[in-house]
mmCIF file of all heavy atoms in Angstrom:
data_model
loop_
_atom_site.group_PDB
_atom_site.id
_atom_site.type_symbol
_atom_site.label_atom_id
_atom_site.label_comp_id
_atom_site.label_asym_id
_atom_site.label_seq_id
_atom_site.Cartn_x
_atom_site.Cartn_y
_atom_site.Cartn_z
ATOM 1 N N ALA A 270 4.987 4.339 2.021
ATOM 2 C CA ALA A 270 4.158 3.431 1.236
ATOM 3 C C ALA A 270 3.969 4.036 -0.147
ATOM 4 O O ALA A 270 4.125 5.249 -0.339
ATOM 5 C CB ALA A 270 2.808 3.221 1.917
ATOM 6 N N GLU A 271 3.653 3.193 -1.106
ATOM 7 C CA GLU A 271 3.402 3.671 -2.470
ATOM 8 C C GLU A 271 2.387 2.781 -3.156
ATOM 9 O O GLU A 271 2.135 1.654 -2.728
ATOM 10 C CB GLU A 271 4.698 3.776 -3.266
ATOM 11 C CG GLU A 271 5.612 2.571 -3.229
ATOM 12 C CD GLU A 271 6.982 2.889 -3.810
ATOM 13 O OE1 GLU A 271 7.098 2.954 -5.046
ATOM 14 O OE2 GLU A 271 7.933 3.047 -3.030
ATOM 15 N N LEU A 272 1.785 3.331 -4.209
ATOM 16 C CA LEU A 272 0.739 2.640 -4.957
ATOM 17 C C LEU A 272 1.177 2.382 -6.392
ATOM 18 O O LEU A 272 1.720 3.270 -7.054
ATOM 19 C CB LEU A 272 -0.535 3.485 -5.001
ATOM 20 C CG LEU A 272 -1.332 3.584 -3.721
ATOM 21 C CD1 LEU A 272 -2.407 4.652 -3.864
ATOM 22 C CD2 LEU A 272 -1.954 2.241 -3.394
ATOM 23 N N TYR A 273 0.904 1.169 -6.864
ATOM 24 C CA TYR A 273 1.152 0.814 -8.260
ATOM 25 C C TYR A 273 -0.172 0.837 -9.007
ATOM 26 O O TYR A 273 -1.155 0.230 -8.568
ATOM 27 C CB TYR A 273 1.772 -0.580 -8.355
ATOM 28 C CG TYR A 273 1.938 -1.061 -9.769
ATOM 29 C CD1 TYR A 273 2.912 -0.521 -10.592
ATOM 30 C CD2 TYR A 273 1.118 -2.050 -10.286
ATOM 31 C CE1 TYR A 273 3.070 -0.957 -11.895
ATOM 32 C CE2 TYR A 273 1.268 -2.496 -11.591
ATOM 33 C CZ TYR A 273 2.241 -1.946 -12.390
ATOM 34 O OH TYR A 273 2.395 -2.388 -13.680
ATOM 35 N N ASP A 274 -0.194 1.539 -10.127
ATOM 36 C CA ASP A 274 -1.370 1.602 -10.994
ATOM 37 C C ASP A 274 -1.116 0.702 -12.202
ATOM 38 O O ASP A 274 -0.282 1.031 -13.049
ATOM 39 C CB ASP A 274 -1.620 3.034 -11.450
ATOM 40 C CG ASP A 274 -2.850 3.186 -12.319
ATOM 41 O OD1 ASP A 274 -3.337 2.175 -12.878
ATOM 42 O OD2 ASP A 274 -3.328 4.321 -12.445
ATOM 43 N N PRO A 275 -1.798 -0.447 -12.302
ATOM 44 C CA PRO A 275 -1.535 -1.365 -13.404
ATOM 45 C C PRO A 275 -1.953 -0.820 -14.775
ATOM 46 O O PRO A 275 -1.458 -1.292 -15.797
ATOM 47 C CB PRO A 275 -2.339 -2.612 -13.036
ATOM 48 C CG PRO A 275 -3.418 -2.109 -12.140
ATOM 49 C CD PRO A 275 -2.834 -0.945 -11.401
ATOM 50 N N LEU A 276 -2.828 0.174 -14.797
ATOM 51 C CA LEU A 276 -3.245 0.748 -16.083
ATOM 52 C C LEU A 276 -2.156 1.610 -16.702
ATOM 53 O O LEU A 276 -2.024 1.674 -17.918
ATOM 54 C CB LEU A 276 -4.532 1.560 -15.909
ATOM 55 C CG LEU A 276 -5.752 0.772 -15.431
ATOM 56 C CD1 LEU A 276 -6.946 1.701 -15.235
ATOM 57 C CD2 LEU A 276 -6.079 -0.346 -16.407
ATOM 58 N N THR A 277 -1.363 2.269 -15.847
ATOM 59 C CA THR A 277 -0.298 3.141 -16.349
ATOM 60 C C THR A 277 1.092 2.551 -16.142
ATOM 61 O O THR A 277 2.062 3.049 -16.714
ATOM 62 C CB THR A 277 -0.344 4.516 -15.654
ATOM 63 O OG1 THR A 277 -0.082 4.337 -14.253
ATOM 64 C CG2 THR A 277 -1.689 5.190 -15.853
ATOM 65 N N GLY A 278 1.194 1.517 -15.292
ATOM 66 C CA GLY A 278 2.496 0.934 -14.989
ATOM 67 C C GLY A 278 3.363 1.864 -14.152
ATOM 68 O O GLY A 278 4.585 1.738 -14.159
ATOM 69 N N SER A 279 2.733 2.775 -13.414
ATOM 70 C CA SER A 279 3.509 3.756 -12.649
ATOM 71 C C SER A 279 3.205 3.668 -11.160
ATOM 72 O O SER A 279 2.186 3.124 -10.743
ATOM 73 C CB SER A 279 3.215 5.161 -13.156
ATOM 74 O OG SER A 279 1.854 5.479 -12.956
ATOM 75 N N TRP A 280 4.110 4.239 -10.372
ATOM 76 C CA TRP A 280 4.029 4.255 -8.919
ATOM 77 C C TRP A 280 3.882 5.682 -8.423
ATOM 78 O O TRP A 280 4.478 6.591 -8.984
ATOM 79 C CB TRP A 280 5.305 3.664 -8.317
ATOM 80 C CG TRP A 280 5.487 2.214 -8.595
ATOM 81 C CD1 TRP A 280 6.038 1.657 -9.716
ATOM 82 C CD2 TRP A 280 5.127 1.128 -7.757
ATOM 83 N NE1 TRP A 280 6.035 0.297 -9.615
ATOM 84 C CE2 TRP A 280 5.485 -0.055 -8.415
ATOM 85 C CE3 TRP A 280 4.535 1.050 -6.499
ATOM 86 C CZ2 TRP A 280 5.268 -1.314 -7.853
ATOM 87 C CZ3 TRP A 280 4.325 -0.207 -5.940
ATOM 88 C CH2 TRP A 280 4.689 -1.374 -6.615
ATOM 89 N N THR A 281 3.104 5.865 -7.357
ATOM 90 C CA THR A 281 2.985 7.162 -6.697
ATOM 91 C C THR A 281 3.093 6.946 -5.193
ATOM 92 O O THR A 281 2.781 5.861 -4.694
ATOM 93 C CB THR A 281 1.641 7.859 -7.008
ATOM 94 O OG1 THR A 281 0.571 6.973 -6.639
ATOM 95 C CG2 THR A 281 1.524 8.208 -8.482
ATOM 96 N N THR A 282 3.518 7.978 -4.492
ATOM 97 C CA THR A 282 3.620 7.848 -3.041
ATOM 98 C C THR A 282 2.228 7.812 -2.424
ATOM 99 O O THR A 282 1.284 8.396 -2.945
ATOM 100 C CB THR A 282 4.431 9.010 -2.435
ATOM 101 O OG1 THR A 282 3.808 10.242 -2.795
ATOM 102 C CG2 THR A 282 5.867 9.000 -2.914
ATOM 103 N N ALA A 283 2.129 7.084 -1.331
ATOM 104 C CA ALA A 283 0.898 7.005 -0.542
ATOM 105 C C ALA A 283 1.247 7.484 0.856
ATOM 106 O O ALA A 283 2.423 7.680 1.178
ATOM 107 C CB ALA A 283 0.381 5.568 -0.513
ATOM 108 N N GLY A 284 0.266 7.667 1.692
ATOM 109 C CA GLY A 284 0.529 8.108 3.059
ATOM 110 C C GLY A 284 1.452 7.156 3.792
ATOM 111 O O GLY A 284 1.373 5.940 3.615
ATOM 112 N N SER A 285 2.341 7.705 4.599
ATOM 113 C CA SER A 285 3.272 6.882 5.370
ATOM 114 C C SER A 285 2.587 6.298 6.600
ATOM 115 O O SER A 285 1.615 6.849 7.116
ATOM 116 C CB SER A 285 4.468 7.719 5.812
ATOM 117 O OG SER A 285 5.270 8.055 4.702
ATOM 118 N N MET A 286 3.132 5.197 7.077
ATOM 119 C CA MET A 286 2.662 4.604 8.323
ATOM 120 C C MET A 286 3.120 5.476 9.490
ATOM 121 O O MET A 286 3.963 6.357 9.322
ATOM 122 C CB MET A 286 3.208 3.186 8.453
ATOM 123 C CG MET A 286 2.685 2.244 7.376
ATOM 124 S SD MET A 286 3.303 0.553 7.539
ATOM 125 C CE MET A 286 5.020 0.764 7.060
ATOM 126 N N ALA A 287 2.590 5.214 10.676
ATOM 127 C CA ALA A 287 2.947 6.004 11.859
ATOM 128 C C ALA A 287 4.422 5.870 12.203
ATOM 129 O O ALA A 287 5.010 6.770 12.789
ATOM 130 C CB ALA A 287 2.090 5.586 13.044
ATOM 131 N N GLY A 288 5.027 4.763 11.823
ATOM 132 C CA GLY A 288 6.447 4.545 12.073
ATOM 133 C C GLY A 288 6.983 3.470 11.152
ATOM 134 O O GLY A 288 6.220 2.781 10.473
ATOM 135 N N PRO A 289 8.292 3.304 11.108
ATOM 136 C CA PRO A 289 8.893 2.329 10.201
ATOM 137 C C PRO A 289 8.652 0.896 10.653
ATOM 138 O O PRO A 289 8.506 0.628 11.843
ATOM 139 C CB PRO A 289 10.378 2.674 10.259
ATOM 140 C CG PRO A 289 10.567 3.290 11.598
ATOM 141 C CD PRO A 289 9.294 4.017 11.896
ATOM 142 N N ARG A 290 8.607 -0.008 9.683
ATOM 143 C CA ARG A 290 8.522 -1.439 9.973
ATOM 144 C C ARG A 290 8.948 -2.239 8.749
ATOM 145 O O ARG A 290 8.797 -1.795 7.626
ATOM 146 C CB ARG A 290 7.129 -1.846 10.448
ATOM 147 C CG ARG A 290 6.050 -1.652 9.423
ATOM 148 C CD ARG A 290 4.716 -2.231 9.841
ATOM 149 N NE ARG A 290 4.037 -1.395 10.803
ATOM 150 C CZ ARG A 290 3.346 -1.852 11.835
ATOM 151 N NH1 ARG A 290 3.224 -3.128 12.060
ATOM 152 N NH2 ARG A 290 2.741 -1.034 12.653
ATOM 153 N N GLN A 291 9.469 -3.416 8.999
ATOM 154 C CA GLN A 291 9.813 -4.369 7.950
ATOM 155 C C GLN A 291 9.407 -5.759 8.404
ATOM 156 O O GLN A 291 9.326 -6.025 9.594
ATOM 157 C CB GLN A 291 11.307 -4.324 7.640
ATOM 158 C CG GLN A 291 12.191 -4.656 8.827
ATOM 159 C CD GLN A 291 13.653 -4.669 8.479
ATOM 160 O OE1 GLN A 291 14.068 -5.393 7.592
ATOM 161 N NE2 GLN A 291 14.441 -3.869 9.188
ATOM 162 N N GLY A 292 9.096 -6.625 7.447
ATOM 163 C CA GLY A 292 8.696 -7.982 7.784
ATOM 164 C C GLY A 292 7.308 -8.073 8.393
ATOM 165 O O GLY A 292 6.971 -9.058 9.050
ATOM 166 N N GLN A 293 6.477 -7.085 8.158
ATOM 167 C CA GLN A 293 5.136 -7.032 8.708
ATOM 168 C C GLN A 293 4.155 -7.833 7.848
ATOM 169 O O GLN A 293 4.530 -8.386 6.836
ATOM 170 C CB GLN A 293 4.662 -5.570 8.796
ATOM 171 C CG GLN A 293 4.412 -4.907 7.461
ATOM 172 C CD GLN A 293 5.668 -4.359 6.790
ATOM 173 O OE1 GLN A 293 6.765 -4.523 7.271
ATOM 174 N NE2 GLN A 293 5.483 -3.720 5.654
ATOM 175 N N THR A 294 2.894 -7.864 8.274
ATOM 176 C CA THR A 294 1.826 -8.425 7.453
ATOM 177 C C THR A 294 0.849 -7.309 7.101
ATOM 178 O O THR A 294 0.728 -6.325 7.828
ATOM 179 C CB THR A 294 1.061 -9.549 8.177
ATOM 180 O OG1 THR A 294 0.421 -9.015 9.328
ATOM 181 C CG2 THR A 294 1.992 -10.677 8.582
ATOM 182 N N ALA A 295 0.173 -7.468 5.980
ATOM 183 C CA ALA A 295 -0.847 -6.508 5.545
ATOM 184 C C ALA A 295 -2.064 -7.298 5.100
ATOM 185 O O ALA A 295 -1.942 -8.226 4.295
ATOM 186 C CB ALA A 295 -0.319 -5.635 4.419
ATOM 187 N N THR A 296 -3.218 -6.917 5.626
ATOM 188 C CA THR A 296 -4.459 -7.639 5.342
ATOM 189 C C THR A 296 -5.493 -6.681 4.783
ATOM 190 O O THR A 296 -5.777 -5.645 5.394
ATOM 191 C CB THR A 296 -5.002 -8.286 6.643
ATOM 192 O OG1 THR A 296 -3.986 -9.118 7.196
ATOM 193 C CG2 THR A 296 -6.254 -9.099 6.366
ATOM 194 N N LEU A 297 -6.064 -7.024 3.637
ATOM 195 C CA LEU A 297 -7.143 -6.236 3.056
ATOM 196 C C LEU A 297 -8.423 -6.549 3.811
ATOM 197 O O LEU A 297 -8.852 -7.703 3.891
ATOM 198 C CB LEU A 297 -7.312 -6.572 1.571
ATOM 199 C CG LEU A 297 -8.408 -5.819 0.838
ATOM 200 C CD1 LEU A 297 -8.114 -4.316 0.806
ATOM 201 C CD2 LEU A 297 -8.560 -6.364 -0.577
ATOM 202 N N LEU A 298 -9.034 -5.513 4.392
ATOM 203 C CA LEU A 298 -10.274 -5.676 5.140
ATOM 204 C C LEU A 298 -11.484 -5.563 4.210
ATOM 205 O O LEU A 298 -11.378 -5.007 3.109
ATOM 206 C CB LEU A 298 -10.347 -4.622 6.247
ATOM 207 C CG LEU A 298 -9.171 -4.627 7.235
ATOM 208 C CD1 LEU A 298 -9.309 -3.476 8.221
ATOM 209 C CD2 LEU A 298 -9.076 -5.964 7.951
ATOM 210 N N LYS A 299 -12.628 -6.048 4.645
ATOM 211 C CA LYS A 299 -13.840 -6.032 3.818
ATOM 212 C C LYS A 299 -14.245 -4.624 3.397
ATOM 213 O O LYS A 299 -14.823 -4.441 2.333
ATOM 214 C CB LYS A 299 -15.002 -6.698 4.553
ATOM 215 C CG LYS A 299 -14.879 -8.189 4.626
ATOM 216 C CD LYS A 299 -16.095 -8.817 5.275
ATOM 217 C CE LYS A 299 -15.944 -10.314 5.328
ATOM 218 N NZ LYS A 299 -17.145 -10.969 5.837
ATOM 219 N N ASP A 300 -13.918 -3.612 4.212
ATOM 220 C CA ASP A 300 -14.302 -2.244 3.874
ATOM 221 C C ASP A 300 -13.292 -1.549 2.959
ATOM 222 O O ASP A 300 -13.428 -0.369 2.656
ATOM 223 C CB ASP A 300 -14.529 -1.412 5.142
ATOM 224 C CG ASP A 300 -13.271 -1.213 5.970
ATOM 225 O OD1 ASP A 300 -12.171 -1.646 5.551
ATOM 226 O OD2 ASP A 300 -13.380 -0.611 7.052
ATOM 227 N N GLY A 301 -12.267 -2.281 2.506
ATOM 228 C CA GLY A 301 -11.292 -1.733 1.563
ATOM 229 C C GLY A 301 -10.040 -1.173 2.204
ATOM 230 O O GLY A 301 -9.070 -0.876 1.517
ATOM 231 N N ARG A 302 -10.040 -1.019 3.532
ATOM 232 C CA ARG A 302 -8.834 -0.551 4.208
ATOM 233 C C ARG A 302 -7.836 -1.694 4.338
ATOM 234 O O ARG A 302 -8.195 -2.865 4.210
ATOM 235 C CB ARG A 302 -9.173 0.017 5.588
ATOM 236 C CG ARG A 302 -10.027 1.274 5.517
ATOM 237 C CD ARG A 302 -10.337 1.844 6.866
ATOM 238 N NE ARG A 302 -11.090 0.867 7.661
ATOM 239 C CZ ARG A 302 -11.246 0.919 8.976
ATOM 240 N NH1 ARG A 302 -10.717 1.911 9.670
ATOM 241 N NH2 ARG A 302 -11.945 -0.002 9.609
#
């Protein structure tokens, strides 16, 4: 996984998921996770 910072226009690595996946869904929860 990686993060895009719109203020700098740059990408950095983020923590990886427990295993690989493609075609998944991602939902922002109320607590920010």
Side-chain angles (χ1 to χ4, degrees):
E271 49 192 283
L272 287 170
Y273 175 73
D274 182 341
L276 298 177
T277 64
S279 63
W280 293 84
T281 56
T282 58
S285 290
M286 296 181 289
R290 64 172 77 219
Q291 60 177 303
Q293 69 277 4
T294 63
T296 304
L297 180 64
L298 303 176
K299 287 184 180 185
D300 65 4
R302 295 181 299 163

